[in-house]
Amino acid sequence: MSHKPTILVIDDTESNLDMLMAILKNYDVIPALSGKEALEIVKNEKIDLILLDIMMPEMDGYEVCRRLKSEEATRSIPIIFITAKTDEESIELGYSIGGIDYVTKPFKPRELLARAKTQLDLKGYQESLEAQVESEISQRLAQEKMLIQNAKLAEMGEMMGAIAHQWKQPISAISLFVMNLESEAEQGKLSLDSLREMVSKINHQLLFLSETIDDFRHFFKPDKERVLFDLKDEVKRVIDILAPQLLLHKIEVKCEIENHLLEGYKNEFKQVVLNLINNSKDAIIEHGIEGFIRLYSRIEGEFLALYVEDNGGGIAPEMLNQIFTPHHSTKGEAGTGIGLSLAKKIITEHHQGEISFSNTDQGALFRVALPKSYRLFKE
Ligand SMILES: Nc1ncnc2c1ncn2[C@@H]1O[C@H](COP(=O)(O)OP(=O)(O)OP(=O)(O)O)[C@@H](O)[C@H]1O
Ligand SMILES: [Mg+2]
């Protein structure tokens, strides 16, 4: 109790009240000459302890006690009965209706003071304990809230990273198209046909950008519908997206994929293929050779496998164990290192498939396999 405790003393005899007030002079004491008066007082005052006489006209102490204990607001105020009634029954009744102590008249002032102090101390301990528990709980709640908030932020960060990653390619393709347009115009070679063609290519890339955003809204909660799509058609579309850069670096793409109908998240699957071709392209550029990327498909037992092979020198030894771990890259500023970790999430978590790789004599070979249980069949 941080404040000076307030004691309500109820007795119908004024001289008794005076005596009690004298004994309790170190506390704030409020006197009441009847039960009725006392019940009014507790409505407006914060009372820490009640000393209650039993024998009073109109409303006796037992009744006052019952009423105080039946109200939520006053239930926890400790009540000490002070009375001349010394028979066991009266004492028992006092305790049974919620009295905390029972002092019989005549009492020694020091004894009364000690008992009052004991009850006030107990109440003080209880209050400080309650406050402590309350503050602990609210602290825990705040901590929990922060953890949830942090997890949400991390997920958002992951999502932003993923979007940025998928946007790199189409954006650089668009900037290449625009550069071509500019130089053709400068040289006076820009025909209406080639303008139309460029615009359509740019629109194609823009469509891909907007699809990516839609996809990522679902990416971390893949609850949207699976669709049927053709493996060969979609791989070709991805190659189209990368065509400007592949052409620029004279990389030959050999597409030996057959028509297979697949069921899954089409755009997510396209992102995987885009990441794989893109990695091959980067390796070839880095290796500085005349490069090729070969894509082919195989039915293998319960799986349909797509292979992406290149001659870019293969995966560096230090990367072999962490190629699917986010943020591991050998490309410095140019790579975020999340391409393959995203690909793994899409293939294994969203499609229950497999993704693996090996090094060949000339470069790397990636295998992406989807289970036939997703209704994969050859047309
Ligand atoms: N075909 C490949 N040939 C050689 N190394 C590869 C090939 N594919 C991936 N790697 C290696 O694996 C690393 C991780 O690839 P990942 O796609 O996850 O990230 P990144 O390409 O470095 O960056 P980001 O894809 O985010 O731009 C690459 O940095 C590269 O070292
Ligand atoms: Mg990559």
Side-chain angles (χ1 to χ4, degrees):
M1 233 170 287
S2 48
H3 60 284
K4 191 172 176 189
T6 305
I7 303 176
L8 174 62
V9 184
I10 309 160
D11 198 310
D12 60 320
T13 315
E14 218 160 312
S15 60
N16 281 350
L17 281 182
D18 288 344
M19 184 183 67
L20 286 165
M21 285 173 80
I23 296 170
L24 301 166
K25 61 180 185 303
N26 288 333
Y27 298 101
D28 278 339
V29 179
I30 303 176
L33 275 165
S34 71
K36 214 170 148 211
E37 192 188 338
L39 293 176
E40 278 308 309
I41 291 170
V42 292
K43 283 183 192 161
N44 305 314
E45 302 287 336
K46 192 189 170 302
I47 305 297
D48 298 302
L49 177 66
I50 292 173
L51 302 187
L52 181 55
D53 183 24
I54 292 177
M55 281 182 293
M56 292 186 293
E58 282 174 50
M59 192 190 291
D60 68 9
Y62 295 133
E63 185 53 25
V64 177
C65 180
R66 279 194 200 97
R67 293 202 188 184
L68 288 168
K69 294 297 168 190
S70 70
E71 289 292 327
E72 181 65 40
T74 52
R75 184 169 297 158
S76 62
I77 306 173
I79 296 174
I80 300 178
F81 285 109
I82 301 178
T83 178
K85 285 181 149 213
T86 53
D87 61 295
E88 219 163 273
E89 242 169 72
S90 301
I91 295 174
E92 237 164 61
L93 181 61
Y95 282 119
S96 74
I97 59 172
I100 199 132
D101 202 356
Y102 200 99
V103 180
T104 49
K105 289 177 192 170
F107 53 79
K108 292 188 190 107
R110 284 173 82 178
E111 185 196 344
L112 181 82
L113 206 56
R115 292 206 185 185
K117 187 175 179 303
T118 304
Q119 294 309 328
L120 286 168
D121 286 349
L122 278 176
K123 188 160 187 279
Y125 293 143
Q126 192 178 332
E127 276 173 5
S128 84
L129 205 68
E130 276 166 12
Q132 224 171 314
V133 169
E134 219 165 274
S135 101
E136 191 120 318
I137 288 175
S138 68
Q139 231 172 325
R140 290 255 170 99
L141 278 178
Q143 254 171 7
E144 231 160 80
K145 241 186 184 170
M146 215 164 73
L147 282 178
I148 293 172
Q149 201 94 355
N150 280 350
K152 273 193 187 151
L153 277 177
E155 189 175 276
M156 241 166 80
E158 206 187 329
M159 197 153 110
M160 297 290 279
I163 291 172
H165 183 261
Q166 312 295 39
W167 272 27
K168 260 195 320 201
Q169 246 41 61
I171 284 175
S172 60
I174 290 171
S175 85
L176 265 179
F177 286 137
V178 172
M179 258 161 56
N180 283 351
L181 265 181
E182 202 179 17
S183 78
E184 278 189 24
E186 274 169 8
Q187 294 163 24
K189 289 197 295 192
L190 186 63
S191 69
L192 194 58
D193 277 352
S194 77
L195 179 69
R196 282 206 180 109
E197 193 195 326
M198 292 285 188
V199 168
S200 129
K201 282 180 173 170
I202 288 172
N203 278 336
H204 182 71
Q205 302 284 349
L206 287 173
L207 183 72
F208 186 75
L209 288 180
S210 84
E211 274 181 2
T212 314
I213 282 287
D214 287 342
D215 277 359
F216 274 101
R217 272 198 262 146
H218 299 278
F219 186 78
F220 293 93
K221 292 185 190 79
D223 51 2
K224 60 188 164 146
E225 292 275 303
R226 293 192 173 91
V227 293
L228 284 176
F229 61 91
D230 183 81
L231 177 68
K232 186 176 177 180
D233 292 350
E234 295 312 322
V235 170
K236 285 219 151 140
R237 293 212 168 97
V238 173
I239 296 172
D240 282 349
I241 290 166
L242 291 167
Q245 285 129 306
L246 295 169
L247 204 69
L248 188 71
H249 296 284
K250 298 193 178 67
I251 296 169
E252 184 194 357
V253 179
K254 306 174 194 176
C255 185
E256 299 160 17
I257 293 173
E258 301 186 30
N259 289 102
H260 295 282
L261 211 51
L262 279 168
E263 189 188 347
Y265 304 111
K266 184 179 77 178
N267 289 321
E268 288 186 4
F269 186 76
K270 270 162 77 178
Q271 303 289 2
V272 174
V273 179
L274 186 115
N275 281 320
L276 291 178
I277 301 180
N278 210 24
N279 281 347
S280 290
K281 181 206 75 187
D282 289 344
I284 289 166
I285 297 170
E286 161 92 26
H287 207 44
I289 33 111
E290 217 164 274
F292 74 81
I293 301 170
R294 181 173 165 241
L295 299 121
Y296 55 97
S297 57
R298 299 270 186 275
I299 301 246
E300 296 171 352
E302 291 304 302
F303 287 92
L304 170 69
L306 164 70
Y307 287 90
V308 181
E309 183 186 1
D310 65 59
N311 62 342
I315 290 137
E318 75 270 19
M319 286 303 293
L320 289 173
N321 287 326
Q322 42 206 19
I323 199 157
F324 295 114
T325 313
H327 310 298
H328 280 79
S329 171
T330 51
K331 300 173 191 170
E333 285 286 291
T336 57
I338 61 172
L340 285 173
S341 71
L342 273 178
K344 182 160 185 167
K345 185 170 177 142
I346 290 171
I347 296 302
T348 60
E349 289 177 33
H350 296 186
H351 291 89
Q352 286 71 49
E354 301 169 352
I355 180 164
S356 58
F357 67 92
S358 56
N359 274 339
T360 64
D361 291 346
Q362 300 175 288
L365 175 65
F366 278 83
R367 173 181 180 269
V368 169
L370 297 190
K372 272 187 180 164
S373 57
Y374 278 108
R375 287 208 284 130
L376 308 173
F377 53 88
K378 209 172 167 182
E379 273 184 335

